[in-house]
Amino acid sequence: MDFETAVGSLFQPEGRIDPYPAYDVLRSHAAAFPGMENQWWVTSHALVSRLLRDPGLRVADKSDYDRSWPDWRQNRGVASVVLSMLQTNPPDHSRVRRAAAATFTARRVAAMREVITAQVDELIDELPAETDFVGSFAYPLPIAVICALLGIPESERRWFRQRAADLTVVLEPISSEEEMVRADKAGRELEAYLTGLIADRRNTPREDLTSALVAAADDDQVLTGEELLANLVLLLVAGFETTTNLLGTGLEILLKHPREADRLRSDAEFAPAVVEEILRYDSPVQLTSRFTTTPLDLGDGRHLDVGTMLTMLLGSANRDPDRYPDPHRFDPDRPNIQPVSFGGGAHYCLGAPLARLEAQVAFPRLLSRLPRLALSGEPVRRDRLVLRGYASLPITTGA
Ligand code: HEM
C-alpha cells in the first residue's frame, strides 16, 4: 500500500475495518506529517506520548466553536460534549477536572467491584445459548455500572443506552445530517432527565456520584450549572460506548487466543495484563486531536506554526514497533505495556480505573463460567473512525 492510499483508506469503510496496515505505512513514512490544510497526523508512540503531555497544546473548546460554527449550542448533543471537561482548557479545565476527580475517586471505583461482579453474573445467567454478545453483554454491563454509580434507577437503563449511543456520533470527525439530528434529540432528552436528577439530589442527597458532584458544585460554587450538566452527560456517554467496545473487542481477541483464554480461566490474576494488552492491541478510542498554542518543535528539525491541528493516532502509537517489539502479536506478557488508549496528560481518561475494573472482572468470569463459549458467526465492525469496536459479535455460550 502506498502512502496516499493509506491516508485515503482511513476515510473509507473498508479501510476502517482494519486500519493497522495503513498505520504501518503512515508510521514508516514519518512520526508526523502534514494532512489537510493546517492539520498534521502523528503516528509514533514516542511523539504521541510526548505531545499528549505538552502544555503548549490545547483541545478545541467553545471559543473555537463560536468562531467556526456560531450556532453550535443549538445542537444539544454537540453542546453537551463541547461544554464538558473533554473540550475545555486551563484554567477552567483544571478547576472542573479537580472537582470531578475529587468525587470520582479510586475508593468509589474500588467499591464498585461487588456491583460489577453481581451484574456480570446476572448477565451471564441471562445469556441465551445463541446470542449477540454486544447486545446482550457488552452494552448492558457498562450502562448498568455507570447508572449505578450515578444513581440512575434500573428501569431507566434501556432508555439511556439508546440516547448515549445516539450522542457519541458527535465524537466522530464526519457525521451525517441524520446522525446530527439524532444526537441533538438525545442531548436534549439526556439534559432534561439529568436536570431532574440534579434537582432531586439537591433536595435529597444520596450516596451516589451525582449527589457528590452536585455538592461539590454547590458548596464552593466550583462548577456552573451548565458545567455540572455537561459533565454528567459526559460521564454517561464517555464511560459507555468505549467500555462496550473494550468488552466486545476483548472477547473476540480472547476467543482467537485460546492459550491466553485458558490461562485466564484458571488465573484471574492474569486479568490486568490481559486487559492492558487488549487495550493496546485494538484501542477502543483510535484518535484524538490537539491544537498548537506556541510554535512546536517536532524534535527532528521541523517546526509547526501556532494553530496547527494535530491528529494523534492512538491506535498507530499502540502498534509502534519501536515501542512494542512484534507489535501485531497479542502478548499479555509484554513488559510495561502502558498503551496510550486512555490518552495522557491533563485529559487522561478519568474513567480508566472503572473501565479496567469492568473488563478485569468480566473476562475471567465469562471464560470460567462458560468454558465452551465460542464465536458462532462473522463479527460485524462498527463503521466508526474514532470509537472502534463491534456492532455485533455472534456467540454460542455452550451452556
Ligand atoms: C477522556 C478513552 C472509559 C470518562 C478519555 C480520553 C480517552 C478515553 C482516550 C482522552 C481524550 C483526549 O485526550 O482527548 C477511554 C476508553 C475507555 C474509557 C478507551 C474504556 C475502555 C471511560 C469511563 C469513563 C470515562 C468508564 C467514566 C465513567 C472520561 C472522561 C474524560 C475521558 C470524563 C475526560 C477527561 C478530561 O478531559 O479531563 N477517555 N475512556 N471514560 N474519559 Fe474515558
Side-chain angles (χ1 to χ4, degrees):
M1 191 186 322
D2 65 20
F3 173 70
E4 306 292 332
T5 314
V7 176
S9 77
L10 298 182
F11 296 96
Q12 303 295 327
E14 315 84 64
R16 285 199 285 263
I17 288 177
D18 179 9
Y20 296 106
Y23 290 160
D24 282 347
V25 172
L26 302 181
R27 206 186 312 102
S28 308
H29 175 74
F33 60 87
M36 288 171 296
E37 293 173 22
N38 210 11
Q39 174 253 342
W40 281 59
W41 298 89
V42 186
T43 60
S44 77
H45 187 280
L47 199 55
V48 166
S49 303
R50 192 194 112 197
L51 295 181
L52 282 171
R53 289 164 182 79
D54 188 328
L57 297 181
R58 65 183 198 86
V59 294
D61 64 22
K62 54 187 175 188
S63 64
D64 302 286
Y65 281 80
D66 284 341
R67 267 194 305 277
S68 63
W69 181 11
D71 282 345
W72 62 274
R73 280 174 194 262
Q74 303 293 323
N75 186 312
R76 297 313 301 172
V78 172
S80 53
V81 174
V82 174
L83 293 167
S84 78
M85 68 183 111
L86 191 62
Q87 297 204 244
T88 302
N89 288 298
D92 290 341
H93 178 264
S94 330
R95 171 178 55 79
V96 176
R97 168 93 189 196
R98 214 175 306 119
T103 49
F104 196 2
T105 56
R107 225 179 76 214
R108 194 181 284 279
V109 172
M112 291 301 289
R113 183 180 279 273
E114 262 178 44
V115 174
I116 295 171
T117 308
Q119 194 61 48
V120 164
D121 279 341
E122 197 181 312
L123 287 169
I124 295 176
D125 290 341
E126 287 167 1
L127 276 181
E130 289 262 349
T131 189
D132 165 29
F133 179 75
V134 175
S136 48
F137 191 98
Y139 259 121
L141 179 63
I143 202 80
V145 171
I146 194 66
C147 285
L149 196 68
L150 291 172
I152 295 164
E154 215 170 316
S155 53
E156 313 282 358
R157 285 179 198 163
R158 270 196 162 279
W159 186 89
F160 269 101
R161 196 172 126 174
Q162 191 52 49
R163 305 300 171 291
D166 285 350
L167 203 143
T168 50
V169 294
V170 305
L171 299 173
E172 297 292 320
I174 302 167
S175 316
S176 71
E177 185 63 37
E178 192 196 324
E179 284 174 324
M180 291 303 272
V181 170
R182 277 211 306 272
D184 173 41
K185 186 165 175 283
R188 284 174 197 277
E189 291 172 353
L190 285 170
E191 284 184 336
Y193 180 89
L194 292 170
T195 302
L197 192 74
I198 290 169
D200 180 73
R201 296 309 194 266
R202 196 163 267 148
N203 286 333
T204 330
R206 300 197 196 167
E207 286 300 303
D208 53 44
L209 182 60
T210 307
S211 304
L213 271 171
V214 169
D218 291 355
D219 283 356
D220 317 315
Q221 304 288 306
V222 172
L223 305 184
T224 64
E226 188 176 66
E227 286 169 343
L228 176 62
L229 185 58
N231 284 293
L232 271 174
V233 176
L234 177 71
L235 283 177
L236 254 178
V237 296
F240 160 47
E241 203 161 311
T242 45
T243 314
T244 296
N245 290 345
L246 168 61
L247 294 170
T249 303
L251 184 73
E252 196 261 356
I253 294 171
L254 285 167
L255 294 178
K256 289 197 168 150
H257 294 83
R259 220 159 40 97
E260 283 74 15
D262 264 347
R263 200 169 138 197
L264 199 51
R265 269 186 196 101
S266 56
D267 178 12
E269 303 278 301
F270 188 39
V274 166
V275 170
E276 287 319 281
E277 179 66 350
I278 291 169
L279 284 161
R280 180 197 74 82
Y281 189 76
D282 209 0
S283 180
V285 177
Q286 288 283 306
L287 63 86
T288 186
S289 303
R290 295 290 187 270
F291 290 85
T292 53
T293 60
T294 52
L296 179 75
D297 181 353
L298 286 176
D300 57 5
R302 294 180 299 171
H303 291 80
L304 303 186
D305 293 337
V306 174
T308 305
M309 176 182 171
L310 296 163
T311 307
M312 320 250 199
L313 291 173
L314 306 176
S316 165
N318 282 340
R319 297 270 190 122
D320 184 342
D322 287 344
R323 172 65 174 80
Y324 301 106
D326 202 359
H328 302 307
R329 203 163 76 87
F330 178 72
D331 177 12
D333 287 318
R334 285 174 194 283
N336 187 23
I337 300 175
Q338 296 179 345
V340 289
S341 314
F342 290 118
H347 290 274
Y348 181 80
C349 177
L350 189 62
L354 184 66
R356 287 188 165 114
L357 184 61
E358 288 181 45
Q360 289 169 7
V361 171
F363 292 130
R365 277 189 108 73
L366 275 162
L367 294 170
S368 57
R369 284 198 54 197
L370 301 169
R372 287 190 299 279
L373 182 66
L375 290 175
S376 65
E378 234 359 85
V380 179
R381 281 272 172 204
R382 302 173 64 85
D383 181 23
R384 296 271 186 95
L385 178 59
V386 180
L387 297 187
R388 178 167 170 78
Y390 286 108
S392 71
L393 191 67
I395 54 160
T396 49
T397 62

